[in-house]
Amino acid sequence: MTEAILLVGGRGTRLRPLTVHTPKPMVPAAGVPFLTHQLARARAAGVEHIVLATSYLAEVFEPYFGDGSALGLRLEYVTEEEPLGTGGAIRNVASRLHSGPDEPVLIFNGDILTGLDIRALVDTHQSTGADVSLHLTKVPDPRAFGLVPTDETGRVTAFLEKPQTPEEIVTDQINAGAYVFRRSVIDTIPAGRPVSVERETFPDLLAAGAHLQGMVDSTYWLDLGTPAAFVRGSADLVLGRAPSPAVPGRCGDRLILPTASVASDAKLTGGTVIGEGAVVGEGARISGSTVLSGAVVEPGAVITDSLIGAGSRIGERSVLTGAVVGDGAVVGADNELREGVRIWCDARIPAGAVRFSSDQ
């Protein structure tokens, strides 16, 4: 298995304002665009050629990654004129593949952080003679996901989309977003129209008698679809909980990129990342958070489990918990921002304008 398709066309609407100017796979996680971690892990598993299926803000990928040679890869880019869904995107790039009809092709989503043993998934695919093999993971509450029950041999028996009643929850195994396709199967996906691989391709293959194999791998897995999950994923990469050969430094409590400036008495913990050119002032305390390039955290600010956008500014003594601050925004001094708040790009919040406690 030397070829892969990486699906990076999503609009990342649940991540806004992080994705107003940046496609989701290019939002920095642990100091580099998240996509870098996926490309590096694929390369480590033996992949040599990757086709990126792009759509939203497609123009930003190639200038950053080029032909992929810096990562030891050959990268190609295919842009959808209209969104085609997961299956449609796979079919749309099929002409760029060089694999033979029976050879395996790795396919993975651009918003999943995982410790999946890619080689083991390919080995499972080949040893079982499957048409498609799926990475499955177990979750405590599967209602937000597609369930994938399997028999005692691991063969998939059904696809159940987002069950709501207890009777519908027949397994805790979910589709984890990484697949190995027999190359010829990709050509059976209808061309030129939107297709969901989860809702159409897989159920149709199953109904036609195809062999779909599941491999449960319960190592680290996180869907980075929400700001809170993205912040946690970045911190887990820095802490070493999520594996990646692309973290630009040693794993530990913090990652400070080379041109950042951090006051000697500032406290950075919990996998915090301070991006290029960012400034952290005296007495600031930052835990489990990402401060992107060129942002300024003024003295005495306290930031927890938050993402601070590029070029933004957090005023003195402001307290942020579970917040997302868009690129170029300014949060004045003495504000309190709590879980779930999203400050849009270039917004301005005056000093002391938002509080959850007395100002005394």
Side-chain angles (χ1 to χ4, degrees), residues 24 36 56 113 120 183-184 198 200 214 216 238 253 277 288 293 326 345:
K24 178 166 51 176
T36 310
Y56 177 64
L113 177 59
R183 169 66 184 87
S184 58
E198 301 86 357
E200 182 176 344
V216 177
V238 175
D253 243 7
S293 60
C345 299

Side-chain angles (χ1 to χ4, degrees), residues 8 31 41 44 56 63 70 134 137 147 156 164 176 194 210 215 224 231 295-296 322 327 332 346 357:
V8 292
R41 294 199 73 247
Y56 177 64
L134 297 86
T137 193
L147 304 191
V156 174
Q164 297 305 311
M215 187 194 84
L224 300 184
V231 171
V296 175
D327 297 345
D346 302 315
S357 63

Side-chain angles (χ1 to χ4, degrees), residues 247-261:
V247 176
R250 294 173 58 187
C251 291
D253 243 7
R254 63 186 191 174
L255 173 64
I256 303 172
L257 295 191
T259 58
S261 173

